[in-house]
Amino acid sequence: EWADKKKASSLEQDEYTKYLLAPVLPEVTDPKSWWLEPTQRKSYPELSIMALDVLSIPAMSAEPERLFSSAKITITDRRNRLGIDTIEAIECLKSWLGKDGTVAFADGAVDMSSSDSNEERI
């Protein structure tokens, strides 16, 4: 078992070293596509998985920031004792209800604009 782990770690190190020693290709403009190519996936199987994991991380954090701003509005001085489950439920409902009066469902949307405003329901 120990020999297998040592062999695996040396293969990973060799894969990284092999990548570092490879010539630089200046014409690569889309790194994600490059790592998805069968040649790269075969040459660097573990490294390509790691690279795709890193390249798949969204560059913007706008949605989480929007969520925190919305939660700040929800948790006022008068609502400071709300439990985390309640806050989570409120934020989910606000997200699902949306500003346009439609409720987002997996199989479509339902128009809720004929009833009271979204804020009054929450």
Side-chain angles (χ1 to χ4, degrees), residues 34-53:
W34 187 82
W35 282 109
L36 284 169
E37 290 176 7
T39 307
Q40 295 358 299
R41 302 205 64 171
K42 185 176 179 183
S43 299
Y44 315 107
E46 299 297 321
L47 197 56
S48 66
I49 292 169
M50 289 174 34
L52 290 169
D53 284 346

Side-chain angles (χ1 to χ4, degrees), residues 59-73 91:
M60 289 183 54
S61 62
E63 189 59 35
E65 288 175 17
R66 204 172 296 123
L67 174 66
F68 282 116
S69 295
S70 176
K72 178 182 170 187
I73 293 167
E91 293 305 312

Side-chain angles (χ1 to χ4, degrees), residues 76-88:
T76 63
D77 290 341
R78 299 184 85 192
R79 297 183 192 158
N80 64 1
R81 295 182 56 110
L82 291 174
I84 189 67
D85 292 339
T86 305
I87 295 168
E88 181 179 5

Side-chain angles (χ1 to χ4, degrees), residues 28-36 52 55:
V28 174
T29 57
D30 184 8
K32 190 173 178 185
S33 296
W34 187 82
W35 282 109
L36 284 169
L52 290 169
L55 292 170

